[in-house]
Amino acid sequence: MSTSVLTEVSGDVTTVTINRPESLNALNEEAFQAIGAAVTEAAANSRAIILTGNERSFSSGADLQGGVAKREGIDLAGANRIIAAILDLPIPTIAAVSGPAAGIGCSLALACDYLVMSEKSYLMLPFTKIGLMPDGGSTALVAASAGRHRALRLALTGEKLQAADALDWGLASEVVPAGSHLERAGEVAAVFAQGPTRALAASKRAINRASLAELDASFAREVEGQDALRASNDFAEGVAAFLDKRAPGFTGE
């Protein structure tokens, strides 16, 4: 059994915790598959799910120290299926975010139905900093909540969007004092777990289909674009610069 993801059941609520603290919860293929298995099992046995990391980080995104640096790493099509499955779960999901929710980790947080952010946390799509484009459905998920120009701002600049701004942009459900994000997520989950399960499922399904009608097309565009970009010189330079802790020298090739 993978130790990269931990699960804890309390009554009708399952908490799924990303457990790779040595890398700020960076995600590799094993971790992503473990998340998928954990939420699938939780959906069959619980009435609400909390997805979280630790105090330092929800998830810093794909693991650049591992396979990504070798142009391998996460199977993006498989990761997309897991993100789509989270969106389609018949029970409410709550993301409890502290520290960064970056890259495909940001996609995981945004896929949840309710997003509780610590006041010191932030969202980030840093893909262009290593010569890639946003993936994990984030091109649709961000635009659906924040609008086109704000989505472009996050995607093109790779800036950190602090929790207060994420709330203002419509990307977070609420912001809470530092250290209380998981407690607040538990309170929200407990309310959902006592709610009318069928009505909650029908509500989230209707809203997701209305606001994310282009999600499958976005997944396909992201996979196609990312495959091409991973073969580029700019990607090789971006990853090398990241690992060397220096500014990249992109050439557009």
Side-chain angles (χ1 to χ4, degrees):
M1 182 177 295
S2 173
T3 60
S4 59
V5 171
L6 306 175
T7 60
E8 180 180 356
V9 179
S10 177
D12 290 324
V13 177
T14 295
T15 299
V16 177
T17 302
I18 303 168
N19 184 45
R20 304 191 76 226
E22 72 285 351
S23 62
L24 291 177
N25 292 326
L27 297 165
N28 56 17
E29 179 67 14
E30 178 193 13
F32 231 104
Q33 292 301 319
I35 291 169
V39 297
T40 298
E41 181 177 354
N45 300 293
S46 300
R47 297 182 66 179
I49 296 172
I50 298 171
L51 179 61
T52 193
N54 55 29
E55 193 65 32
R56 291 186 63 207
S57 176
F58 177 80
S59 172
S60 58
D63 186 359
L64 292 180
Q65 300 289 343
V68 173
K70 303 173 184 176
R71 303 188 185 190
E72 299 170 356
I74 293 172
D75 170 20
L76 184 53
N80 288 344
R81 287 191 290 271
I82 291 169
I83 290 169
I86 292 173
L87 284 160
D88 290 340
L89 288 176
I91 62 174
T93 55
I94 302 97
V97 174
S98 181
I104 203 163
C106 181
S107 299
L108 276 174
L110 294 177
C112 292
D113 305 314
Y114 201 98
L115 176 50
V116 178
M117 296 185 70
S118 161
E119 63 186 356
K120 294 185 178 181
S121 65
Y122 60 88
L123 306 179
M124 189 179 186
L125 299 179
F127 296 91
T128 57
K129 294 181 181 295
I130 58 167
L132 293 178
M133 63 176 286
D135 60 25
S138 58
T139 57
L141 291 165
V142 175
S145 294
R148 173 175 171 262
H149 282 104
R150 283 172 167 171
L152 282 167
R153 174 175 161 178
L154 277 188
L156 299 181
T157 67
E159 68 179 283
K160 296 178 181 179
L161 186 70
Q162 301 297 331
D165 292 323
L167 180 65
D168 181 60
W169 285 23
L171 291 170
S173 304
E174 57 180 284
V175 175
V176 298
S180 64
H181 61 292
L182 190 54
E183 178 183 2
R184 177 56 185 154
E187 294 170 350
V188 173
V191 172
F192 286 153
Q194 296 302 310
T197 305
R198 293 179 63 185
L200 294 176
S203 297
K204 61 176 284 186
R205 182 170 59 249
I207 290 171
N208 284 340
R209 289 185 179 177
S211 59
L212 294 170
E214 285 290 305
L215 182 62
D216 287 344
S218 295
F219 281 145
R221 284 190 292 266
E222 290 168 359
V223 169
E224 181 181 7
Q226 215 69 303
D227 282 348
L229 290 169
R230 282 174 174 163
S232 70
N233 291 332
D234 275 352
F235 172 62
E237 166 61 12
V239 171
F242 174 86
L243 296 176
D244 294 341
K245 296 181 172 57
R246 60 174 173 82
F250 292 130
T251 63
E253 300 177 352

